[in-house]
Amino acid sequence: MASSSYEGILLGMGNPLLDISAVVDEAFLAKYDVKPGNAILAEDKHLPMYDELASKGNVEYIAGGATQNSIRVAQWMLQIPGATSYIGCIGKDKFGEEMKKNAQAAGINAHYHEDENAPTGTCAVCVVGGERSLIANLSAANCYKSEHLKKPENWALVEKAKYIYIAGFFLTVSLDSIQLVAEHAAANNKVFLMNLSAPFICEFFRDAQEKALPYVDYIFGNETEARTFAKVRGWETENVEEISLKISQLPKASGTHKRITVITQGCDPVVVADDGKVKTFPVILLPKDKLVDTNGAGDAFVGGFLSQLVQEKSIDECVRAACYAANVVIQRSGCTYPEKPDFN
């Protein structure tokens, strides 16, 4: 395909957050009652953490937010400026300006809603032994409204896209925006993709997840999220292959595409359930001394996958690119990457 035909082919919608990332110790996690490897929404007890992280000598500020990370990685892998677009809500502040600059530099066509009252959302990234714990303070990201989406200049991004990806985290913010986009995708034979995103989404936002799921053509997640998804539904199995298959066979709103489930398991093989069959793909193993942090690994996996899917490559190729992108990101701080990909 000519590069012009890729313009706006992939749209992401989600919570744009600025990652405030620092290496901490286990005492720091204990102090704020944070579990290693988890992803949660901030409560009052977590709020002092942001300033404490910011005061650390090794702190880094990196444009983040799960969906935005995946879109950035897909854009990087594609190397076609403007192939991707992104929608979300930021504040009118310094962090918001950073976010706009970052998206532009990445080659993403971002249409942010700018909230007058709330500051740009932040995510505390606490890294212990290479494993990340995420505590998101959504602030402005939580203020996204479907009125912004319905504006002609923003809905045009939806019309243009052939693939639309939304992380499960957005279910806590604007279910009606998700429904609008999901119904549009089903009615127009487009590909709609989502992510389980975190155990708390599967557990406490099950109703919202159930509303969106019939529209989802590809669902991503990791083994912990998949097991939580199964547990809340009383499936009585911990077997990730079995769970993946069951998720892929849940009812669908449109029969155009069969649902494909893609579950990662850290350094264990990726599980793909497609059309009643399960395939596993080994990941690229990394020596422990090369691991910097796992922040953004799952997002990068999805981004790599999307970069090949929009080119209509096979699932095997999509997974190979997904593993490549995740492998690059875990050797760097946050969801960042070198100037050019080395994937062929």
PDB file of all heavy atoms in Angstrom, residues 189-217:
ATOM      1  N   ASN A 189     -17.748  -2.769   9.422  1.00  0.00           N
ATOM      2  CA  ASN A 189     -16.765  -3.858   9.236  1.00  0.00           C
ATOM      3  C   ASN A 189     -15.340  -3.453   9.572  1.00  0.00           C
ATOM      4  O   ASN A 189     -14.392  -3.896   8.928  1.00  0.00           O
ATOM      5  CB  ASN A 189     -16.807  -4.390   7.797  1.00  0.00           C
ATOM      6  CG  ASN A 189     -18.091  -5.144   7.539  1.00  0.00           C
ATOM      7  OD1 ASN A 189     -18.754  -5.547   8.489  1.00  0.00           O
ATOM      8  ND2 ASN A 189     -18.440  -5.317   6.285  1.00  0.00           N
ATOM      9  N   LYS A 190     -15.193  -2.594  10.565  1.00  0.00           N
ATOM     10  CA  LYS A 190     -13.855  -2.199  11.001  1.00  0.00           C
ATOM     11  C   LYS A 190     -13.405  -3.131  12.122  1.00  0.00           C
ATOM     12  O   LYS A 190     -14.203  -3.874  12.679  1.00  0.00           O
ATOM     13  CB  LYS A 190     -13.865  -0.750  11.474  1.00  0.00           C
ATOM     14  CG  LYS A 190     -14.161   0.217  10.329  1.00  0.00           C
ATOM     15  CD  LYS A 190     -14.149   1.657  10.788  1.00  0.00           C
ATOM     16  CE  LYS A 190     -14.286   2.588   9.584  1.00  0.00           C
ATOM     17  NZ  LYS A 190     -14.154   3.993   9.997  1.00  0.00           N
ATOM     18  N   VAL A 191     -12.136  -3.067  12.457  1.00  0.00           N
ATOM     19  CA  VAL A 191     -11.591  -3.948  13.485  1.00  0.00           C
ATOM     20  C   VAL A 191     -11.481  -3.173  14.793  1.00  0.00           C
ATOM     21  O   VAL A 191     -10.823  -2.132  14.855  1.00  0.00           O
ATOM     22  CB  VAL A 191     -10.212  -4.500  13.059  1.00  0.00           C
ATOM     23  CG1 VAL A 191      -9.628  -5.384  14.158  1.00  0.00           C
ATOM     24  CG2 VAL A 191     -10.347  -5.296  11.752  1.00  0.00           C
ATOM     25  N   PHE A 192     -12.154  -3.686  15.821  1.00  0.00           N
ATOM     26  CA  PHE A 192     -12.169  -3.033  17.128  1.00  0.00           C
ATOM     27  C   PHE A 192     -11.398  -3.901  18.116  1.00  0.00           C
ATOM     28  O   PHE A 192     -11.641  -5.098  18.239  1.00  0.00           O
ATOM     29  CB  PHE A 192     -13.621  -2.839  17.591  1.00  0.00           C
ATOM     30  CG  PHE A 192     -13.746  -2.097  18.892  1.00  0.00           C
ATOM     31  CD1 PHE A 192     -13.234  -0.812  19.040  1.00  0.00           C
ATOM     32  CD2 PHE A 192     -14.387  -2.673  19.985  1.00  0.00           C
ATOM     33  CE1 PHE A 192     -13.344  -0.125  20.246  1.00  0.00           C
ATOM     34  CE2 PHE A 192     -14.511  -1.990  21.188  1.00  0.00           C
ATOM     35  CZ  PHE A 192     -13.986  -0.716  21.313  1.00  0.00           C
ATOM     36  N   LEU A 193     -10.429  -3.274  18.800  1.00  0.00           N
ATOM     37  CA  LEU A 193      -9.538  -4.025  19.696  1.00  0.00           C
ATOM     38  C   LEU A 193      -9.541  -3.410  21.091  1.00  0.00           C
ATOM     39  O   LEU A 193      -9.565  -2.179  21.232  1.00  0.00           O
ATOM     40  CB  LEU A 193      -8.097  -4.007  19.169  1.00  0.00           C
ATOM     41  CG  LEU A 193      -7.880  -4.349  17.688  1.00  0.00           C
ATOM     42  CD1 LEU A 193      -7.834  -3.084  16.824  1.00  0.00           C
ATOM     43  CD2 LEU A 193      -6.593  -5.137  17.484  1.00  0.00           C
ATOM     44  N   MET A 194      -9.507  -4.255  22.102  1.00  0.00           N
ATOM     45  CA  MET A 194      -9.429  -3.762  23.477  1.00  0.00           C
ATOM     46  C   MET A 194      -8.431  -4.586  24.284  1.00  0.00           C
ATOM     47  O   MET A 194      -7.905  -5.578  23.806  1.00  0.00           O
ATOM     48  CB  MET A 194     -10.805  -3.766  24.155  1.00  0.00           C
ATOM     49  CG  MET A 194     -11.682  -2.581  23.757  1.00  0.00           C
ATOM     50  SD  MET A 194     -13.118  -2.347  24.843  1.00  0.00           S
ATOM     51  CE  MET A 194     -12.357  -1.437  26.213  1.00  0.00           C
ATOM     52  N   ASN A 195      -8.214  -4.158  25.530  1.00  0.00           N
ATOM     53  CA  ASN A 195      -7.272  -4.814  26.423  1.00  0.00           C
ATOM     54  C   ASN A 195      -7.958  -5.033  27.769  1.00  0.00           C
ATOM     55  O   ASN A 195      -8.723  -4.174  28.208  1.00  0.00           O
ATOM     56  CB  ASN A 195      -6.040  -3.908  26.595  1.00  0.00           C
ATOM     57  CG  ASN A 195      -4.805  -4.666  27.017  1.00  0.00           C
ATOM     58  OD1 ASN A 195      -4.832  -5.444  27.950  1.00  0.00           O
ATOM     59  ND2 ASN A 195      -3.717  -4.426  26.312  1.00  0.00           N
ATOM     60  N   LEU A 196      -7.696  -6.160  28.412  1.00  0.00           N
ATOM     61  CA  LEU A 196      -8.237  -6.379  29.768  1.00  0.00           C
ATOM     62  C   LEU A 196      -7.615  -5.367  30.731  1.00  0.00           C
ATOM     63  O   LEU A 196      -8.263  -4.925  31.676  1.00  0.00           O
ATOM     64  CB  LEU A 196      -7.943  -7.807  30.238  1.00  0.00           C
ATOM     65  CG  LEU A 196      -8.577  -8.930  29.409  1.00  0.00           C
ATOM     66  CD1 LEU A 196      -8.132 -10.296  29.934  1.00  0.00           C
ATOM     67  CD2 LEU A 196     -10.104  -8.835  29.385  1.00  0.00           C
ATOM     68  N   SER A 197      -6.351  -5.025  30.487  1.00  0.00           N
ATOM     69  CA  SER A 197      -5.634  -3.921  31.135  1.00  0.00           C
ATOM     70  C   SER A 197      -5.205  -4.092  32.599  1.00  0.00           C
ATOM     71  O   SER A 197      -4.107  -3.714  32.950  1.00  0.00           O
ATOM     72  CB  SER A 197      -6.377  -2.594  30.990  1.00  0.00           C
ATOM     73  OG  SER A 197      -6.297  -2.158  29.642  1.00  0.00           O
ATOM     74  N   ALA A 198      -6.081  -4.571  33.457  1.00  0.00           N
ATOM     75  CA  ALA A 198      -5.679  -4.722  34.870  1.00  0.00           C
ATOM     76  C   ALA A 198      -6.706  -5.584  35.595  1.00  0.00           C
ATOM     77  O   ALA A 198      -7.885  -5.564  35.239  1.00  0.00           O
ATOM     78  CB  ALA A 198      -5.581  -3.360  35.561  1.00  0.00           C
ATOM     79  N   PRO A 199      -6.259  -6.307  36.623  1.00  0.00           N
ATOM     80  CA  PRO A 199      -7.231  -7.109  37.387  1.00  0.00           C
ATOM     81  C   PRO A 199      -8.407  -6.275  37.916  1.00  0.00           C
ATOM     82  O   PRO A 199      -9.545  -6.741  37.898  1.00  0.00           O
ATOM     83  CB  PRO A 199      -6.381  -7.679  38.535  1.00  0.00           C
ATOM     84  CG  PRO A 199      -4.995  -7.772  37.961  1.00  0.00           C
ATOM     85  CD  PRO A 199      -4.874  -6.565  37.069  1.00  0.00           C
ATOM     86  N   PHE A 200      -8.144  -5.032  38.365  1.00  0.00           N
ATOM     87  CA  PHE A 200      -9.240  -4.236  38.941  1.00  0.00           C
ATOM     88  C   PHE A 200     -10.312  -3.898  37.908  1.00  0.00           C
ATOM     89  O   PHE A 200     -11.486  -3.755  38.247  1.00  0.00           O
ATOM     90  CB  PHE A 200      -8.719  -2.975  39.656  1.00  0.00           C
ATOM     91  CG  PHE A 200      -8.493  -1.760  38.794  1.00  0.00           C
ATOM     92  CD1 PHE A 200      -9.533  -0.874  38.501  1.00  0.00           C
ATOM     93  CD2 PHE A 200      -7.240  -1.477  38.267  1.00  0.00           C
ATOM     94  CE1 PHE A 200      -9.325   0.261  37.714  1.00  0.00           C
ATOM     95  CE2 PHE A 200      -7.021  -0.357  37.490  1.00  0.00           C
ATOM     96  CZ  PHE A 200      -8.070   0.515  37.204  1.00  0.00           C
ATOM     97  N   ILE A 201      -9.923  -3.798  36.637  1.00  0.00           N
ATOM     98  CA  ILE A 201     -10.916  -3.544  35.579  1.00  0.00           C
ATOM     99  C   ILE A 201     -11.828  -4.768  35.448  1.00  0.00           C
ATOM    100  O   ILE A 201     -13.055  -4.643  35.414  1.00  0.00           O
ATOM    101  CB  ILE A 201     -10.227  -3.254  34.216  1.00  0.00           C
ATOM    102  CG1 ILE A 201      -9.363  -1.980  34.286  1.00  0.00           C
ATOM    103  CG2 ILE A 201     -11.255  -3.154  33.093  1.00  0.00           C
ATOM    104  CD1 ILE A 201     -10.118  -0.669  34.311  1.00  0.00           C
ATOM    105  N   CYS A 202     -11.213  -5.956  35.402  1.00  0.00           N
ATOM    106  CA  CYS A 202     -11.987  -7.201  35.273  1.00  0.00           C
ATOM    107  C   CYS A 202     -12.895  -7.421  36.479  1.00  0.00           C
ATOM    108  O   CYS A 202     -13.980  -7.987  36.361  1.00  0.00           O
ATOM    109  CB  CYS A 202     -11.052  -8.395  35.107  1.00  0.00           C
ATOM    110  SG  CYS A 202      -9.936  -8.255  33.693  1.00  0.00           S
ATOM    111  N   GLU A 203     -12.433  -6.952  37.636  1.00  0.00           N
ATOM    112  CA  GLU A 203     -13.159  -7.214  38.870  1.00  0.00           C
ATOM    113  C   GLU A 203     -14.247  -6.174  39.154  1.00  0.00           C
ATOM    114  O   GLU A 203     -15.395  -6.512  39.421  1.00  0.00           O
ATOM    115  CB  GLU A 203     -12.163  -7.226  40.039  1.00  0.00           C
ATOM    116  CG  GLU A 203     -12.434  -8.330  41.028  1.00  0.00           C
ATOM    117  CD  GLU A 203     -11.255  -8.564  41.968  1.00  0.00           C
ATOM    118  OE1 GLU A 203     -10.102  -8.278  41.587  1.00  0.00           O
ATOM    119  OE2 GLU A 203     -11.506  -9.013  43.084  1.00  0.00           O
ATOM    120  N   PHE A 204     -13.875  -4.884  39.077  1.00  0.00           N
ATOM    121  CA  PHE A 204     -14.786  -3.838  39.546  1.00  0.00           C
ATOM    122  C   PHE A 204     -15.490  -3.070  38.414  1.00  0.00           C
ATOM    123  O   PHE A 204     -16.394  -2.292  38.671  1.00  0.00           O
ATOM    124  CB  PHE A 204     -14.039  -2.858  40.461  1.00  0.00           C
ATOM    125  CG  PHE A 204     -13.378  -3.547  41.621  1.00  0.00           C
ATOM    126  CD1 PHE A 204     -11.995  -3.585  41.739  1.00  0.00           C
ATOM    127  CD2 PHE A 204     -14.138  -4.207  42.579  1.00  0.00           C
ATOM    128  CE1 PHE A 204     -11.377  -4.239  42.804  1.00  0.00           C
ATOM    129  CE2 PHE A 204     -13.536  -4.868  43.646  1.00  0.00           C
ATOM    130  CZ  PHE A 204     -12.157  -4.887  43.756  1.00  0.00           C
ATOM    131  N   PHE A 205     -15.055  -3.286  37.180  1.00  0.00           N
ATOM    132  CA  PHE A 205     -15.723  -2.631  36.053  1.00  0.00           C
ATOM    133  C   PHE A 205     -16.257  -3.676  35.079  1.00  0.00           C
ATOM    134  O   PHE A 205     -16.280  -3.495  33.878  1.00  0.00           O
ATOM    135  CB  PHE A 205     -14.770  -1.636  35.368  1.00  0.00           C
ATOM    136  CG  PHE A 205     -14.471  -0.451  36.245  1.00  0.00           C
ATOM    137  CD1 PHE A 205     -13.423  -0.487  37.152  1.00  0.00           C
ATOM    138  CD2 PHE A 205     -15.273   0.685  36.215  1.00  0.00           C
ATOM    139  CE1 PHE A 205     -13.159   0.578  38.002  1.00  0.00           C
ATOM    140  CE2 PHE A 205     -15.028   1.764  37.060  1.00  0.00           C
ATOM    141  CZ  PHE A 205     -13.966   1.710  37.952  1.00  0.00           C
ATOM    142  N   ARG A 206     -16.688  -4.792  35.691  1.00  0.00           N
ATOM    143  CA  ARG A 206     -17.154  -5.911  34.883  1.00  0.00           C
ATOM    144  C   ARG A 206     -18.343  -5.523  33.995  1.00  0.00           C
ATOM    145  O   ARG A 206     -18.422  -5.922  32.839  1.00  0.00           O
ATOM    146  CB  ARG A 206     -17.552  -7.067  35.815  1.00  0.00           C
ATOM    147  CG  ARG A 206     -18.077  -8.245  35.036  1.00  0.00           C
ATOM    148  CD  ARG A 206     -18.506  -9.408  35.904  1.00  0.00           C
ATOM    149  NE  ARG A 206     -19.211 -10.385  35.092  1.00  0.00           N
ATOM    150  CZ  ARG A 206     -19.617 -11.557  35.536  1.00  0.00           C
ATOM    151  NH1 ARG A 206     -19.383 -11.901  36.782  1.00  0.00           N
ATOM    152  NH2 ARG A 206     -20.258 -12.383  34.735  1.00  0.00           N
ATOM    153  N   ASP A 207     -19.283  -4.735  34.544  1.00  0.00           N
ATOM    154  CA  ASP A 207     -20.482  -4.383  33.770  1.00  0.00           C
ATOM    155  C   ASP A 207     -20.118  -3.594  32.518  1.00  0.00           C
ATOM    156  O   ASP A 207     -20.640  -3.862  31.432  1.00  0.00           O
ATOM    157  CB  ASP A 207     -21.477  -3.575  34.625  1.00  0.00           C
ATOM    158  CG  ASP A 207     -22.086  -4.435  35.747  1.00  0.00           C
ATOM    159  OD1 ASP A 207     -21.860  -5.663  35.731  1.00  0.00           O
ATOM    160  OD2 ASP A 207     -22.770  -3.875  36.621  1.00  0.00           O
ATOM    161  N   ALA A 208     -19.227  -2.630  32.690  1.00  0.00           N
ATOM    162  CA  ALA A 208     -18.784  -1.822  31.544  1.00  0.00           C
ATOM    163  C   ALA A 208     -18.053  -2.714  30.539  1.00  0.00           C
ATOM    164  O   ALA A 208     -18.264  -2.624  29.321  1.00  0.00           O
ATOM    165  CB  ALA A 208     -17.872  -0.695  32.021  1.00  0.00           C
ATOM    166  N   GLN A 209     -17.219  -3.610  31.070  1.00  0.00           N
ATOM    167  CA  GLN A 209     -16.462  -4.535  30.215  1.00  0.00           C
ATOM    168  C   GLN A 209     -17.415  -5.434  29.415  1.00  0.00           C
ATOM    169  O   GLN A 209     -17.218  -5.655  28.216  1.00  0.00           O
ATOM    170  CB  GLN A 209     -15.547  -5.379  31.112  1.00  0.00           C
ATOM    171  CG  GLN A 209     -14.374  -6.019  30.408  1.00  0.00           C
ATOM    172  CD  GLN A 209     -13.526  -6.837  31.381  1.00  0.00           C
ATOM    173  OE1 GLN A 209     -14.051  -7.614  32.190  1.00  0.00           O
ATOM    174  NE2 GLN A 209     -12.214  -6.669  31.321  1.00  0.00           N
ATOM    175  N   GLU A 210     -18.472  -5.905  30.084  1.00  0.00           N
ATOM    176  CA  GLU A 210     -19.468  -6.776  29.425  1.00  0.00           C
ATOM    177  C   GLU A 210     -20.180  -6.050  28.287  1.00  0.00           C
ATOM    178  O   GLU A 210     -20.524  -6.670  27.286  1.00  0.00           O
ATOM    179  CB  GLU A 210     -20.534  -7.233  30.425  1.00  0.00           C
ATOM    180  CG  GLU A 210     -20.006  -7.978  31.620  1.00  0.00           C
ATOM    181  CD  GLU A 210     -20.116  -9.503  31.487  1.00  0.00           C
ATOM    182  OE1 GLU A 210     -19.173 -10.120  30.968  1.00  0.00           O
ATOM    183  OE2 GLU A 210     -21.137 -10.052  31.910  1.00  0.00           O
ATOM    184  N   LYS A 211     -20.426  -4.746  28.470  1.00  0.00           N
ATOM    185  CA  LYS A 211     -21.109  -3.967  27.421  1.00  0.00           C
ATOM    186  C   LYS A 211     -20.236  -3.831  26.186  1.00  0.00           C
ATOM    187  O   LYS A 211     -20.717  -3.857  25.055  1.00  0.00           O
ATOM    188  CB  LYS A 211     -21.478  -2.572  27.946  1.00  0.00           C
ATOM    189  CG  LYS A 211     -22.704  -2.548  28.847  1.00  0.00           C
ATOM    190  CD  LYS A 211     -23.328  -1.146  28.865  1.00  0.00           C
ATOM    191  CE  LYS A 211     -24.582  -1.107  29.723  1.00  0.00           C
ATOM    192  NZ  LYS A 211     -24.270  -1.156  31.179  1.00  0.00           N
ATOM    193  N   ALA A 212     -18.934  -3.654  26.402  1.00  0.00           N
ATOM    194  CA  ALA A 212     -18.018  -3.424  25.279  1.00  0.00           C
ATOM    195  C   ALA A 212     -17.619  -4.721  24.579  1.00  0.00           C
ATOM    196  O   ALA A 212     -17.438  -4.755  23.354  1.00  0.00           O
ATOM    197  CB  ALA A 212     -16.769  -2.689  25.769  1.00  0.00           C
ATOM    198  N   LEU A 213     -17.504  -5.792  25.352  1.00  0.00           N
ATOM    199  CA  LEU A 213     -16.917  -7.036  24.851  1.00  0.00           C
ATOM    200  C   LEU A 213     -17.541  -7.619  23.574  1.00  0.00           C
ATOM    201  O   LEU A 213     -16.806  -8.097  22.707  1.00  0.00           O
ATOM    202  CB  LEU A 213     -16.902  -8.088  25.971  1.00  0.00           C
ATOM    203  CG  LEU A 213     -15.799  -9.132  25.883  1.00  0.00           C
ATOM    204  CD1 LEU A 213     -14.414  -8.490  25.870  1.00  0.00           C
ATOM    205  CD2 LEU A 213     -15.901 -10.121  27.024  1.00  0.00           C
ATOM    206  N   PRO A 214     -18.879  -7.576  23.438  1.00  0.00           N
ATOM    207  CA  PRO A 214     -19.457  -8.150  22.208  1.00  0.00           C
ATOM    208  C   PRO A 214     -18.914  -7.507  20.926  1.00  0.00           C
ATOM    209  O   PRO A 214     -18.943  -8.132  19.865  1.00  0.00           O
ATOM    210  CB  PRO A 214     -20.954  -7.868  22.358  1.00  0.00           C
ATOM    211  CG  PRO A 214     -21.174  -7.748  23.829  1.00  0.00           C
ATOM    212  CD  PRO A 214     -19.926  -7.133  24.376  1.00  0.00           C
ATOM    213  N   TYR A 215     -18.420  -6.290  21.037  1.00  0.00           N
ATOM    214  CA  TYR A 215     -17.919  -5.579  19.851  1.00  0.00           C
ATOM    215  C   TYR A 215     -16.438  -5.841  19.580  1.00  0.00           C
ATOM    216  O   TYR A 215     -15.902  -5.442  18.561  1.00  0.00           O
ATOM    217  CB  TYR A 215     -18.119  -4.065  20.029  1.00  0.00           C
ATOM    218  CG  TYR A 215     -19.572  -3.678  20.120  1.00  0.00           C
ATOM    219  CD1 TYR A 215     -20.197  -3.527  21.359  1.00  0.00           C
ATOM    220  CD2 TYR A 215     -20.336  -3.483  18.965  1.00  0.00           C
ATOM    221  CE1 TYR A 215     -21.533  -3.194  21.450  1.00  0.00           C
ATOM    222  CE2 TYR A 215     -21.677  -3.143  19.042  1.00  0.00           C
ATOM    223  CZ  TYR A 215     -22.272  -3.011  20.282  1.00  0.00           C
ATOM    224  OH  TYR A 215     -23.600  -2.685  20.365  1.00  0.00           O
ATOM    225  N   VAL A 216     -15.773  -6.487  20.548  1.00  0.00           N
ATOM    226  CA  VAL A 216     -14.312  -6.587  20.482  1.00  0.00           C
ATOM    227  C   VAL A 216     -13.872  -7.742  19.582  1.00  0.00           C
ATOM    228  O   VAL A 216     -14.228  -8.893  19.811  1.00  0.00           O
ATOM    229  CB  VAL A 216     -13.721  -6.753  21.895  1.00  0.00           C
ATOM    230  CG1 VAL A 216     -12.205  -6.902  21.835  1.00  0.00           C
ATOM    231  CG2 VAL A 216     -14.094  -5.556  22.771  1.00  0.00           C
ATOM    232  N   ASP A 217     -13.085  -7.405  18.546  1.00  0.00           N
ATOM    233  CA  ASP A 217     -12.576  -8.408  17.601  1.00  0.00           C
ATOM    234  C   ASP A 217     -11.263  -9.021  18.086  1.00  0.00           C
ATOM    235  O   ASP A 217     -10.993 -10.194  17.836  1.00  0.00           O
ATOM    236  CB  ASP A 217     -12.361  -7.764  16.229  1.00  0.00           C
ATOM    237  CG  ASP A 217     -13.650  -7.179  15.674  1.00  0.00           C
ATOM    238  OD1 ASP A 217     -14.658  -7.915  15.643  1.00  0.00           O
ATOM    239  OD2 ASP A 217     -13.677  -5.986  15.300  1.00  0.00           O
TER     240      ASP A 217
END
